Every structure is written in structure tokens, then in C-alpha cells.
Amino acid sequence: MLYPLWIDSPRLQEQLEALAAISEAPPPVVTRVLFSEADLRGRCFVRDLCRETGLVIREDAIGNLFARWPGKDPHLAPIATGSHIDAIPNAGRYDGVVGVLGALEAVRALKRHGFEPRRTIELIVFTAEEPTRFGIGCLGSRLLSGALTPEKAAALRDPEGQTLEHWRAKAGYSGPHLNSVRLASDGYAGFIELHIEQGPLLERENVPIGVVESIAAPSTLRVRLAGSGGHAGTVLMPERRDALLAGAEVALAVEQAALASGSADTVATTGVFRIEPGAVNSIPSRVWLEIDLRDTQLTTRDAALRRIESAVPEICQRRGVEFQLERLNVDAPASCDRALVDTVLAVCRELSLPAKKMTSRAYHDSLFMARICPTTMIFIPCRGGVSHRPDEYSSPDQIRDGVLVLAQTLAKLAA
Ligand code: GLV
Ligand code: MN
Ligand code: MN
């Protein structure tokens, strides 16, 4: 059964606009790195909206925010939705945010209709889905699901050597211990994340809704190289141990590992390449690389991972450069819950909105929520499949469709 719901698209657009303005960089660029001033202001903005919507708020020790609409039957496990509001450097305004502000609009639409949930509905705003500060994505959902232990989280360091404890304290979250973040595995009846596709398929096929069946397997490596610095004019070429050149060869080996996998689904990127000292007349002595490698299949991802990991010592030995190689995360893919997928598909059918089952090549907090409860995602198209860029765009109508599907699905599951 469908509820006669109305989505307030202009109000949602205003809120998307307002949150996009909370950024470390001028418009249209959105940058909100974990626990930066912009991230903290973004959190305040969302917290205020949750309060205005009459939700009951809790924040945990890593800053995950839980906003509850209590159901009439407190014995039923809640149904959850949500996403993230942090944004990588030079990002757009929709990644993650559509699943937070869109979910709030879904709740408001249900409230406007007079819907009274039997099962509690909870909005979760996850901390640091993006890996920018510590090199590891989904910090909040990893801790919450037990995929990352508090001990490992406490050992994380940013490029300046600062710890998570340092940043947590700075952000005002240092009261309770990280041990308290983990949730029970029967805590939620389900989790449904609304998100832009971040790929081109829905737009290309003119399908308004994607329903996610599986999420690809991500991994991240950090490579630190130490060569020998010196004067760019006086150290002759045979004497050099240039860390940048070793790093450049590593980056090429990363590309080769993906190309050689034999599968178009293997993708690898060296997205961080820091050089010290970074002066034109100085030989680079230190390099810091971060490498992102993913695949829909674990076996091909792991084969490419082994290729990269064996290329690094070979390159460094040949160039007389010391190296430290660290696996920041090596995750399995997630399968979504078939019953939840079917529920979302049924809602789309009732709404006469064409829908397509898909695999998510991007990772999401859903990858980790799937470890503790039945999970799926609702995708909407984005222009040209563009994401992680300031020109990321989904139209108000595309967003409205996604919010409507989410609202109807939540209503079905909470009624
Ligand atoms: C998420 O932002 C990802 O990189 O897939
Ligand atoms: Mn992202
Ligand atoms: Mn995202």
C-alpha cells in the first residue's frame, strides 16, 4: 500500500544549498574534512534540522549522530536510514548529503501525512565516510559494526602524525571511550541508504532508481618512501636516490596491476602523492602515497593487491630507496538483503518508477551496516555519472523520486 505522500522539493533544495555553503573552499567546491571547522558547522546544521523535525538525538564517541523517531512499539528493532556529510577536497554537494537531508525530508513527509510508526525510524549521520584525514573510509560505520577495533582506530595517524584521539578531543567528542561505539548485531531491523549513483548507468539507461544488490570490495594501501635529498645542481645523476621517482614507478605499477587483472572491474588509483621537501631545486627525499584498489570480485582484487605489494620492494631496491608499506584497509564486498531489495523494488513498481538492480562500485557506510543488519541502498542518477567533483549534480526531480521511494519504503517497514 502506498501513502499519499508529498515531498517538499523546494525546501530540500534550500537545505542542500545551505549545507553546500558550509565548506572549507569557495563555491561551487565543497570540502568538509573530518572534524574540520566546516565539518563541525555542518554537523550543527544537521543536528538543528533533526531537532526541528522533532527527532531525539544521540551522538556516540566518534561523532556518529542518531536521530530517532520513536515508534509505538518499543520492543521492535528500529529501521534505520542515513549517510554522511563529510566531503573530500574539491567535492560536490550531493555525495552523502542527499541520503541525510533526503532522509530528513522523508521523515517530514511521513509526519506531514500523520503517519505514526509502530517501529522506530532512525536517521544515522556517519562520521568520516570519506578517508581524507586518516586514509581509511567509513570510520564511523566501521567502529559501529566492529569492522575496526577501537585499538586500531586509536593507532591511526594523519600525515602530521596527529591521532584520532587528538582530533576527537578537538571536536568535543572525547568524553566516552571508543569502546562504546560498537552496536549489537541485532540492533536494527534494517538499513536503507539513499545515495547518488556516482556512476553513469542510471542516466544512460534513463532509469530513475537503482536498487543496490552488492557493494564492491575496497582496499587502501599507504606507502612511505625515504630516499636521499640534496642539491638539484650538485648531486650527479648516478648518485641519486630520488624518492619521487620511486613513487612514480609505484604509481605506474598500480595502474599496471589493475590493467593486468583481466577484469574491467578492477580499478586502482594513486590519489595521494606528497613530496618532501617540495622545492624545485631540491631532490625529493620523502614521498607519501595512498593507493585505492577495488573490484567487484575479491579474487581479482586480491591478485592485484599482491602484484602491487610485490612491485614496491622491487622498485625500491633497484632505486636504493627505503619503504614502509601499510594496508590501511582490505575489505570484503557486501551482499545486500534480498528481502529489502524486493521491498524497495515493490515500492518502485507501485510508484510506477522504473528501477534497476545494481552493484555499487563506490563504497558506502552500507558496506559495514550490512555486517550488522539487513541492508540495501537506493540510487538516483547523477549527471554524466560525475562524482567527487564540484560539478556533481542530480536534479531536484531525481532527488525527489529517491526521497519518495525512501519514505514509502520506511513507511512499509515501520507501519
Ligand atoms: C566513497 O566515497 C568512495 O570512495 O567510494
Ligand atoms: Mn564520496
Ligand atoms: Mn558517499
Side-chain angles (χ1 to χ4, degrees), residues 103-272:
L104 261 172
E105 175 54 27
V107 166
R108 286 193 300 258
L110 289 167
K111 288 197 164 201
R112 276 196 296 270
H113 169 65
F115 179 79
E116 289 184 6
R118 201 158 66 86
R119 191 185 285 286
T120 292
I121 296 178
E122 188 158 291
L123 164 65
I124 311 178
V125 187
F126 296 95
T127 286
E129 191 267 355
E130 301 291 7
T132 312
R133 191 171 300 284
F134 290 106
I136 182 168
C138 301
L139 202 50
S141 51
R142 276 178 199 274
L143 277 163
L144 188 152
S145 64
L148 178 70
T149 62
E151 293 71 31
K152 284 206 172 130
L156 291 172
R157 295 281 181 282
D158 72 8
E160 278 72 49
Q162 294 292 5
T163 60
L164 180 57
E165 283 309 298
H166 163 89
W167 280 105
R168 232 163 50 91
K170 225 171 151 202
Y173 288 107
S174 57
H177 194 274
L178 282 180
N179 282 338
S180 58
V181 173
R182 185 160 184 187
L183 293 179
S185 59
D186 57 357
Y188 290 107
F191 177 72
I192 303 153
E193 180 171 3
L194 171 64
H195 207 283
I196 60 168
E197 183 199 344
Q198 306 185 281
L201 300 182
L202 292 174
E203 183 187 63
R204 199 179 284 161
E205 296 171 25
N206 199 23
V207 176
I209 298 292
V211 186
V212 175
E213 287 185 299
S214 60
I215 304 175
S219 59
T220 315
L221 297 175
R222 181 181 279 165
V223 183
R224 278 176 278 185
L225 304 176
S228 175
H231 196 289
T234 59
V235 182
L236 298 181
M237 297 312 278
E239 264 101 72
R240 293 197 181 194
R241 296 192 297 122
D242 184 323
L244 178 145
L245 294 177
E249 278 205 55
V250 170
L252 290 172
V254 167
E255 183 193 31
Q256 272 314 309
L259 292 174
S261 91
S263 162
D265 293 323
T266 319
V267 286
T269 311
T270 304
V272 174

Side-chain angles (χ1 to χ4, degrees), residues 95 129-130 198 292 294 362-363 388:
D95 176 3
E129 191 267 355
E130 301 291 7
Q198 306 185 281
D292 176 306
R294 317 179 188 203
Y363 60 70
H388 284 183

